[in-house]
Amino acid sequence: MRHSKNSIQIALLSALLVLMGGCSRISQKKQQPTQEMPDQSASIIADCIVNYFQKDYVPYVTQQQHRFNPKTGYLKIVATEPTGRYTFTLNKDHFASAKQPSSFLSDLPASFVNEPLATAVFYSFTAGAGLLDTTPFETQETIKIEGQWYEPMQAAANNTGIQATILRNKGTNKTDLIKLQDTEHEIQWLLKSYNLRYSKELDTLVPMKIDVFDISKGLASKQLIIQFEYKSILKKQAQHTAE
């Protein structure tokens, strides 16, 4: 009788150990997908009003949606126009448009949206909001622009000749200027980001306006060609950037 009782206890103990081992394996399986998820920042969905200033013409006003991923170098610009829906995608050094803009849109500054503009907007918004990691960029000698001292940081130039310089204001420690050069198309722009507003979603100050100036004739003769005014900022998971 005692031997039978011991056998039952051993059997129960063995079953309990097997059950605990099974629970442990199940717990590990549940945690595994989280461990394998790529380390990506959330995407940012920003709706804006855009003014294109043509010389001697009334500005063309339209709406766009900008979808940023600061960590992966991703920007998607979506615009719905009378001639259809246009999408332009910047993925690090690769730029693509899903549809060729109409002749009217192509005649606007930056041909509506070209690679230099997408590159400039990406750096202006993400660096202006403090969302871009600038530590890999080479720092250059301090320069003075319109009475303010700036620390230039050279972002890597791509293989099409586009070069972006990030300018951090030494007085405010804010990155509010981007200089963009495109040697192939003889483009020289200066972008100014301003009207900082706190975003609860991003937990940072975000520039709600970006002005694009043509400085090909010199800084003193700069001409405003495009203005972006952001109306709403949302934060979503990174996988939604491709939508």
Side-chain angles (χ1 to χ4, degrees):
M1 184 70 175
R2 183 176 300 171
H3 176 74
S4 177
K5 184 176 181 181
N6 290 340
S7 298
I8 293 173
Q9 290 176 340
I10 292 171
L12 290 173
L13 180 61
S14 299
L16 180 61
L17 289 173
V18 170
L19 181 60
M20 290 176 66
C23 290
S24 177
R25 286 192 294 272
I26 292 173
S27 176
Q28 290 174 0
K29 287 181 180 179
K30 287 182 178 179
Q31 294 175 359
Q32 191 174 2
T34 302
Q35 294 171 352
E36 292 179 352
M37 285 180 65
D39 181 19
Q40 293 184 353
S41 59
S43 65
I44 300 162
I45 313 298
D47 293 317
C48 62
I49 303 294
V50 190
N51 286 270
Y52 288 88
F53 298 93
Q54 297 171 287
K55 190 174 181 180
D56 300 327
Y57 289 95
V58 175
Y60 178 68
V61 184
T62 186
Q63 298 184 42
Q64 293 177 2
Q65 184 178 87
H66 296 176
R67 307 177 186 182
F68 299 91
N69 191 312
K71 191 168 186 178
T72 62
Y74 178 94
L75 168 61
K76 187 172 188 177
I77 297 177
V78 181
T80 302
E81 299 292 322
T83 50
R85 187 174 186 263
Y86 299 90
T87 60
F88 308 88
T89 305
L90 180 71
N91 197 353
K92 292 186 178 178
D93 291 341
H94 180 70
F95 177 79
S97 58
K99 180 181 178 181
Q100 183 66 28
S102 66
S103 57
F104 170 78
L105 295 175
S106 297
D107 287 339
L108 294 173
S111 301
F112 191 48
V113 177
N114 57 13
E115 184 174 2
L117 183 63
T119 303
V121 169
F122 172 81
Y123 283 116
S124 187
F125 183 89
T126 59
L131 300 170
L132 183 69
D133 180 14
T134 59
T135 53
F137 301 147
E138 180 183 353
T139 302
Q140 299 176 339
E141 187 177 348
T142 304
I143 59 174
K144 199 171 189 178
I145 300 177
E146 297 182 329
Q148 300 287 322
W149 287 101
Y150 284 88
E151 181 182 58
M153 291 172 285
Q154 189 63 63
N158 66 18
N159 54 13
T160 63
I162 298 174
Q163 192 172 54
T165 302
I166 299 169
L167 296 157
R168 179 183 290 131
N169 190 307
K170 294 288 288 183
T172 64
N173 204 33
K174 299 292 184 182
T175 303
D176 55 12
L177 291 181
I178 301 292
K179 184 179 180 181
L180 186 123
Q181 292 180 292
D182 182 353
T183 54
E184 182 180 348
H185 299 96
E186 298 182 349
I187 289 175
Q188 291 190 60
W189 292 339
L190 186 71
L191 282 79
K192 181 176 179 60
S193 58
Y194 59 107
N195 276 17
L196 296 177
R197 183 185 301 171
Y198 178 74
S199 168
K200 186 177 180 181
E201 296 234 356
L202 301 177
D203 191 26
T204 188
L205 291 172
V206 176
M208 300 304 288
K209 277 193 175 184
I210 297 175
D211 290 347
V212 183
F213 296 96
D214 181 356
I215 58 169
S216 58
K217 295 181 180 179
L219 192 59
S221 301
K222 67 182 181 181
Q223 180 183 358
L224 180 63
I225 58 173
I226 305 172
Q227 183 180 75
F228 299 94
E229 184 173 359
Y230 292 98
K231 296 299 183 181
S232 65
I233 308 290
L234 297 174
K235 179 181 177 182
K236 292 190 176 182
Q237 295 302 316
Q239 60 263 30
H240 294 296
T241 54
E243 292 180 356

